[in-house]
Amino acid sequence: MKVSVHGCGYLGAVHAAAMARLGHDVVGIDVDAARVAALAEGRAPFFEPGLTALLAGTGGPGALRFSTDAADAAAAEVHFLCVGTPQSAGSGVADLQQLEAALAALRPHLRPGSVVVGKSTVPVGTAARLAAGLPDGVGLAWNPEFLREGHAVADTLHPDRLVYGVPDDGGEALVARLDAVYARLLADDVPRLVTDLATAELAKVAANAFLATKISFANAVAEVCEAAGGDAVALVGTMALDRRIGGDYLGVGLGFGGGCLPKDIRAFAARARELGVGDAVSFLDEVDAINDRCRDRAVELARAACGGSLADRRVAVLGAAFKPDSDDVRSSPALALARAVAAEGADVVVTDPQALALAQAAAPELGYAADVREAAAGADVVVLATEWDEYRALDPHALARVVRAPHLVDARNAVDRARWRAAGWDVRALGVAAVRAAPAQSSSPTA
Ligand code: UDX
């Protein structure tokens, strides 16, 4: 099947390559010429494990092309919309300019019988509005994407579910077309759910809002543990074994960031307010506030480790990406923490295995180092802000030799506290009252 993919960012580039892997003849369209040039040479324009291999192994010549010209999508039978829908400046409302622009560029090339399939996350009601503006004979479905950065290839080729939102009118033909696109996934028994357009749009934001709520729930409990004298990591461990709850997205730490969760909960709340049901999701404001407080609490731990003030202290921040296995620094809790520490007069040095270039562009005022050793040299406190595997595996003995004082703030509860303490480190962690106290009382129940 001939397929076009509009927008070749974290979502679209992976989707285009995955569609080629599923056997389709794919053209990816993006307005960014540098991104198109990289993809055309088989290079991933951002760090995403498995994407380069997927780009390299996508069948014969012509099976996967990239272009800046929407006219190159004219032959496609299915056009996927994968552009970004960021948060508007100054409000929580989703900015749909990229979506409108991509559709405007594509519109003159839409042949009767072809279909447009939205994958971007949009405010409910967008799909019906866009459908009304399409030429006669062109259908529109909404097929939200649930992929996580860092796992995008596997999430696309082995999704938990496929959701097809279709209008009443012409819905059957759209379902048949999407079934043909995803035939190889359906053969693997991936559950496929057919809904109306509004439900499909909401399916994505509701899932993301639930995940954000789960994370903030864990971090809210962490605040109580800090005050009451408990260990939130041990506590969520007890919750995780309840099969009705499960342990995913209950990580105690710096909270959520990235290009989706923060803006999606704000856009969901903003859209609900427009619809007159803002009260139904007003708790999402609290989810956001709890998430922001995680950073404040981590800064407080760093301050305490430095004896009450961060002014003129050297602080090494391990991690800039919003999560491991990504180079994405959008709404990164690690960078927000680094900025907050710098704002208190500290000399901050940030390192990250993949996100240094993007971090430097986003926060040029901070100091940067190529690796942990360089970042930690002479540090008064080391803050673990993004739980890359290589940071979890750090040798505390070796690191103790380069710092000025062996203070660790484990803002992701990523390391084995007992091991670090045994190597002479004062370890403080979010959600753990015992390690927030003075060093003399600082042994945790696990130490
Ligand atoms: C998310 C959704 O998971 C995905 O389905 C959707 O399509 C896009 O948004 P992504 O933003 O790539 O994906 O990252 P995800 O792995 O979900 O993590 C989001 C943030 O939550 C990260 O900052 C991560 O560090 C944080 N997180 C995650 C926690 O703070 N605690 C946890 O327990 C889990």
Side-chain angles (χ1 to χ4, degrees), residues 305-306 313-318 349 371-384 394-409 420 423-426:
C306 290
R313 298 305 187 124
R314 187 170 165 109
V315 181
V317 177
L318 310 189
V349 186
D371 58 34
V372 173
R373 225 185 136 73
E374 194 187 322
D380 293 289
V381 57
V382 175
V383 183
L384 197 164
L394 280 170
D395 175 358
H397 292 280
L399 203 61
R401 287 195 285 274
V402 304
V403 296
R404 203 192 61 78
H407 294 295
L408 177 75
V409 172
W420 281 66
W425 286 78
D426 156 46

Side-chain angles (χ1 to χ4, degrees), residues 145-196:
E145 180 56 62
F146 299 96
L147 67 80
R148 294 160 298 165
E149 288 176 29
H151 304 270
V153 172
D155 286 352
T156 306
L157 291 173
H158 307 283
D160 288 343
R161 75 292 211 192
L162 291 167
V163 176
Y164 304 170
V166 296
D168 292 343
D169 194 15
E172 276 177 29
L174 285 163
V175 170
R177 190 70 67 90
L178 283 168
D179 277 350
V181 169
Y182 293 122
R184 292 202 192 171
L185 302 185
L186 296 170
D188 288 341
D189 291 331
V190 172
R192 171 269 239 178
L193 303 143
V194 178
T195 70
D196 54 62

Side-chain angles (χ1 to χ4, degrees), residues 101-119:
L103 204 51
L106 172 62
R107 202 175 187 286
H109 310 291
L110 288 170
R111 292 182 313 159
S114 65
V115 303
V116 174
V117 180
K119 292 198 79 69

Side-chain angles (χ1 to χ4, degrees), residues 11-23:
L11 164 58
V14 175
H15 189 67
M19 290 300 98
R21 171 60 64 90
L22 295 183

Side-chain angles (χ1 to χ4, degrees), residues 97-145:
Q97 282 182 51
Q98 292 179 49
L99 194 61
E100 308 281 358
L103 204 51
L106 172 62
R107 202 175 187 286
H109 310 291
L110 288 170
R111 292 182 313 159
S114 65
V115 303
V116 174
V117 180
K119 292 198 79 69
S120 309
T121 305
V122 290
V124 60
T126 304
R129 180 170 61 76
L130 297 181
L134 290 178
D136 286 347
V138 178
L140 180 134
W142 216 263
N143 169 222
E145 180 56 62

